[in-house]
């Protein structure tokens, strides 16, 4: 049984760039109950266009009878600043002008997204998170959170993510933004502005999420005579239209910029030094044929986070495998958490 809430931050929210947001709202969903000790919190950080219903978009890993289930855990997933799904975003009303922000919305970073969720955790009285997990942009949030939270994160799980966004990833995001801004309606200051450009952007993104093998398997033609109306063409159109029905171009544009901003070394001695400060029991999972977040990026995380455990998997779906290969993830994460509990018990025995 889930419940949806809105947290209204009572003060001005200061962004990393110094700008401020008034009337910040964070939309979130919870599943299960917080126990008396408040030590059963599972916090899921969502990827680029997901909502707060983690039991829906991470089925098989989250849900009844799954590894992370509401019968045993108190599961929280909050949408990020800029999200289309309830948190303050470019379509929200600016308290000063009483009209939607659109392109006057201030730019924000991954650290701003994390700061918003940390304020929510404080509001909920949560001082310790048993498991903080995220994939892709969600993993970027989780790594930043773990660096800034010290020992407040017991177990950290990073899937198909990185310590800083690569030139390759930034180039993909910029190509998508070019598609959006080529649609002149993006500047029309209306909720559906840039929708045609968003469709193209999603088509570009999908190529980075999947693999050659995946398209060869699912979109291959069964006849040799075709000269048009290909399955792959229809698929790209369908996926683009599907996103346009549930998301807006402004949120997408801003969130891709936030992803580009990700660098745990910014304002710190170095990327490696920042990762070295993580105190959580950490599991890093990479996908061998991930085209967008190459496995070398997860190997880097595993190498430089103290005591981190690293696993690699292969998925026909490439980067999207982090959402699809839930049986494999359940096995790896389940074993990791069992080992984490055993280490804790041994440590307690030694202390005694």
């Amino acid at each position: 049984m889930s419940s949806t809430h809105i947290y209204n931050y009572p003060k001005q929210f200061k962004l990393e760039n110094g700008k401020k947001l008034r009337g910040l709202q964070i939309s979130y969903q919870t599943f299960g109950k917080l126990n008396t000790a408040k030590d059963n919190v599972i916090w899921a950080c969502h990827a680029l266009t997901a909502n707060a219903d983690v039991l829906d978009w991470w089925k098989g890993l989250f849900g009844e009878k799954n590894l992370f289930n509401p019968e045993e855990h108190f599961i929280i997933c909050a949408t990020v600043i800029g999200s289309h799904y309830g948190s303050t975003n470019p379509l929200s009303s600016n308290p000063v002008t009483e009209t939607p922000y659109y392109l006057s919305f201030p730019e924000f970073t991954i650290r701003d997204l994390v700061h918003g969720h940390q304020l929510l955790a404080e509001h909920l009285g949560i001082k310790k998170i048993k498991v903080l997990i995220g994939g892709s942009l969600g993993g970027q949030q989780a790594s930043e959170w773990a660096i800034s939270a010290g020992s407040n994160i017991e177990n950290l799980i990073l899937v198909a993510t990185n310590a800083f966004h690569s030139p390759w990833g930034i180039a993909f995001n910029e190509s998508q933004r070019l598609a959006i801004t080529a649609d002149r309606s993006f500047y029309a200051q209306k909720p559906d502005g840039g929708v045609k450009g968003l469709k193209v952007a999603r088509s570009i993104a999908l190529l980075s999420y999947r693999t050659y093998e995946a398209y060869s398997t699912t979109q291959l033609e069964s006849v040799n005579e075709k000269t048009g109306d290909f399955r792959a063409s229809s698929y790209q159109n369908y996926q683009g239209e599907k996103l346009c029905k549930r998301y807006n171009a402004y949120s997408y544009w801003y969130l891709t910029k936030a992803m580009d901003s990700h660098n745990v070394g910014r304002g710190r001695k170095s990327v490696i030094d920042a990762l070295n400060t993580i105190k959580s029991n950490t599991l890093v999972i990479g996908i061998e044929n991930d085209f967008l977040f190459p496995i070398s990026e997860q190997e880097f995380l595993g190498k430089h986070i103290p005591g981190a455990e690293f696993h690699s998997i292969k998925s026909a779906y490439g980067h999207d495998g982090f959402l699809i290969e839930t049986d494999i993830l359940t096995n790896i994460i389940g074993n990791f958490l069992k080992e984490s509990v055993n280490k804790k018990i041994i440590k307690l025995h030694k202390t005694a």
Side-chain angles (χ1 to χ4, degrees):
M1 196 73 178
S2 70
S3 52
T4 303
H5 309 273
I6 296 288
Y7 168 54
N8 293 286
Y9 183 56
K11 302 177 183 178
Q12 287 191 42
F13 181 82
K14 187 176 180 180
L15 297 164
E16 189 181 354
N17 60 17
K19 294 184 179 181
K20 296 177 181 178
L21 276 174
R22 294 185 182 183
L24 175 66
Q25 293 187 324
I26 301 290
S27 173
Y28 65 100
Q29 289 193 39
T30 62
F31 308 83
K33 294 182 179 180
L34 185 63
N35 63 18
T36 305
K38 295 186 177 182
D39 62 358
N40 67 331
V41 176
I42 310 295
W43 197 299
C45 299
H46 70 74
L48 187 63
T49 65
N51 56 31
D53 189 359
V54 65
L55 270 64
D56 179 61
W57 56 260
W58 222 342
K59 289 176 182 175
L61 187 62
F62 285 81
E64 294 183 10
K65 312 304 179 185
N66 293 140
L67 180 63
F68 298 125
N69 59 78
E71 294 86 7
E72 183 180 359
H73 306 288
F74 182 56
I75 301 166
I76 303 174
C77 184
T79 58
V80 296
I81 295 168
S83 166
H84 180 81
Y85 297 110
S87 292
T88 299
N89 68 83
L91 299 189
S92 300
S93 180
N94 182 339
V96 177
T97 65
E98 297 185 348
T99 58
Y101 285 98
Y102 296 116
L103 291 173
S104 68
F105 198 78
E107 290 191 16
F108 50 86
T109 68
I110 294 294
R111 291 184 190 179
D112 293 322
L113 308 185
V114 171
H115 184 203
H117 287 176
Q118 288 173 328
L119 291 172
L120 171 60
E122 185 179 332
H123 167 72
L124 295 173
I126 295 170
K127 297 180 180 179
K128 190 103 174 175
I129 295 175
K130 181 179 180 181
V131 176
L132 179 65
I133 180 172
S136 194
L137 180 138
Q140 293 176 337
Q141 296 169 63
S143 60
E144 272 290 352
W145 194 335
I147 289 167
S148 63
S151 59
N152 293 342
I153 310 299
E154 185 177 339
N155 299 289
L156 174 67
I157 302 174
L158 306 175
V159 190
T161 193
N162 50 23
F164 57 91
H165 210 44
S166 67
W168 179 248
I170 293 169
F172 262 109
N173 283 341
E174 181 64 18
S175 297
Q176 294 174 67
R177 290 191 293 269
L178 288 171
I180 290 172
T181 55
D183 180 349
R184 294 178 64 183
S185 71
F186 183 62
Y187 301 100
Q189 309 284 4
K190 57 181 185 178
D192 62 350
V195 68
K196 291 181 179 178
L198 179 61
K199 178 180 176 180
V200 179
R202 186 61 166 184
S203 180
I204 294 170
L206 201 64
L207 296 176
S208 70
Y209 298 158
R210 299 292 173 85
T211 64
Y212 176 94
E213 289 76 18
Y215 275 83
S216 295
T217 300
T218 62
Q219 306 305 322
L220 188 67
E221 301 297 335
S222 58
V223 296
N224 296 321
E225 279 63 37
K226 273 193 175 183
T227 58
D229 191 27
F230 295 108
R231 292 179 65 181
S233 300
S234 298
Y235 182 71
Q236 295 303 102
N237 274 278
Y238 166 74
Q239 290 294 342
E241 290 169 2
K242 186 178 177 182
L243 181 70
C244 291
K245 289 176 181 178
R246 69 175 181 86
Y247 218 74
N248 76 81
Y250 302 98
S251 287
Y252 197 91
W253 190 83
Y254 275 95
L255 282 168
T256 58
K257 279 185 165 286
M259 178 178 275
D260 291 352
S261 78
H262 177 57
N263 189 323
V264 300
R266 186 173 60 256
R268 299 169 178 138
K269 188 176 179 181
S270 71
V271 171
I272 291 173
D273 280 291
L275 294 176
N276 276 326
T277 66
I278 293 177
K279 296 179 174 62
S280 311
N281 299 317
T282 303
L283 170 65
V284 182
I285 303 174
I287 300 171
E288 293 176 12
N289 50 344
D290 189 335
F291 187 62
L292 183 58
F293 288 75
I295 198 164
S296 59
E297 296 187 331
Q298 293 87 60
E299 290 172 340
F300 182 87
L301 289 168
K303 180 180 178 181
H304 295 294
I305 296 174
E309 186 175 315
F310 171 75
H311 285 267
S312 65
I313 67 174
K314 189 169 183 178
S315 171
Y317 297 97
H319 182 64
D320 269 356
F322 87 91
L323 294 170
I324 298 169
E325 307 293 355
T326 52
D327 287 344
I328 299 172
L329 291 178
T330 294
N331 182 52
I332 295 172
I333 296 170
N335 287 333
F336 167 77
L337 293 176
K338 285 178 185 176
E339 291 170 8
S340 176
V341 169
N342 289 336
K343 288 176 185 176
K344 189 175 180 181
I345 292 171
I346 291 169
K347 190 174 180 181
L348 287 172
H349 285 169
K350 284 183 178 179
T351 302

